[in-house]
Amino acid sequence: MTLSLWLSLLGASTLISFTPGAGAINTMTNSLNSGFRRSLWGIMGQQAALLIHVMVVAAGVGLLVSRSPMAFTLIRYAGAAYLVYLGVRLILAKAQGADDIAVQGRESAVAMFRRGLWVNLLNPKAIVFFLAFTPQFIRLDAPALPQYLIFIGTIIVVDIVVMWLFFAASAKSFSRFTATERGQRILNLCFGTLFIFVAALLIFIH
């Protein structure tokens, strides 16, 4: 991959990562509920999903999914349903006092990783996006493996930096709300509603 092509990939990846979506909402929620540092576990789960998406596209399965209305629709509804589930669970979550948080502890790293994985994995538009995006940076007359490694490595590093140092860090400005039960309920309502809103976009915008 030439330097000019890589710089184009870097710029495109940065813009894409800054686009608000379910991953950004999930990252901010983790940062608020479990802390800035531990929110990285959810981000890593999201990156694992991106890696799977690129592997699927590289294997040609993405083309099959994009050309199969039934397969695309099933995955789309599954992804939307999962986001609605996360949103409703957040809205109905009981606000915790400081003593409750100390007793119950914060969410486990495995749980955050798993949720991050499913948030990004159950998004069929990501497969279609990578199907259209990937060929722009892969040359057929050059060895494929090094190109794919640079491609996915750039996307993952950029997304980690943006998610952690921008979205997770931005959530710290809301930290004063988490100190009170009323503030927690307001934030849970806001972020839960955002999850449901993203799910609605996934269903109604084609």
Side-chain angles (χ1 to χ4, degrees), residues 2-152:
T2 63
L3 178 60
S4 60
L5 188 60
W6 180 78
L7 289 175
S8 298
L9 173 62
L10 181 64
S13 300
T14 302
L15 289 175
I16 293 164
S17 293
F18 271 110
T19 303
I25 298 170
N26 186 60
T27 297
M28 294 181 74
T29 303
N30 285 338
S31 182
L32 283 169
N33 293 336
S34 298
F36 170 71
R37 292 184 179 181
R38 297 187 77 250
S39 67
L40 184 60
W41 288 106
I43 295 172
M44 297 308 295
Q46 293 168 199
Q47 305 317 306
L50 293 184
L51 178 59
I52 293 173
H53 280 310
V54 172
M55 292 173 63
V56 166
V57 170
V61 179
L63 184 62
L64 296 177
V65 173
S66 66
R67 291 184 175 179
S68 172
M70 180 174 292
F72 183 85
T73 299
L74 287 175
I75 298 175
R76 181 161 58 90
Y77 277 100
Y82 185 66
L83 292 179
V84 170
Y85 162 74
L86 292 178
V88 172
R89 190 177 70 169
L90 202 57
I91 291 172
L92 298 179
K94 181 181 178 181
Q96 296 177 315
D99 294 337
D100 294 328
I101 295 174
V103 172
Q104 295 181 11
R106 289 177 288 187
E107 187 176 21
S108 71
V110 173
M112 284 190 289
F113 182 93
R114 183 172 59 245
R115 189 173 66 252
L117 174 70
W118 285 112
V119 162
N120 269 2
L121 196 60
L122 288 174
N123 184 0
K125 291 187 181 296
I127 296 180
V128 177
F129 168 78
F130 278 116
L131 186 65
F133 187 67
T134 304
Q136 312 301 322
F137 301 96
I138 303 298
R139 294 177 51 186
L140 297 179
D141 59 348
L145 182 58
Q147 294 185 83
Y148 274 108
L149 290 177
I150 294 173
F151 177 78
I152 190 59

Side-chain angles (χ1 to χ4, degrees), residues 125-191:
K125 291 187 181 296
I127 296 180
V128 177
F129 168 78
F130 278 116
L131 186 65
F133 187 67
T134 304
Q136 312 301 322
F137 301 96
I138 303 298
R139 294 177 51 186
L140 297 179
D141 59 348
L145 182 58
Q147 294 185 83
Y148 274 108
L149 290 177
I150 294 173
F151 177 78
I152 190 59
T154 300
I155 290 176
I156 286 178
V157 170
V158 167
D159 201 54
I160 289 175
V161 170
V162 172
M163 287 293 156
W164 203 31
L165 299 184
F166 180 76
F167 287 110
S170 297
K172 295 175 69 176
S173 61
F174 297 100
S175 59
R176 69 178 186 276
F177 285 96
T178 62
T180 66
E181 293 187 8
R182 181 174 182 273
Q184 289 177 45
R185 284 194 295 269
I186 293 174
L187 284 179
N188 286 345
L189 177 62
C190 291
F191 281 96

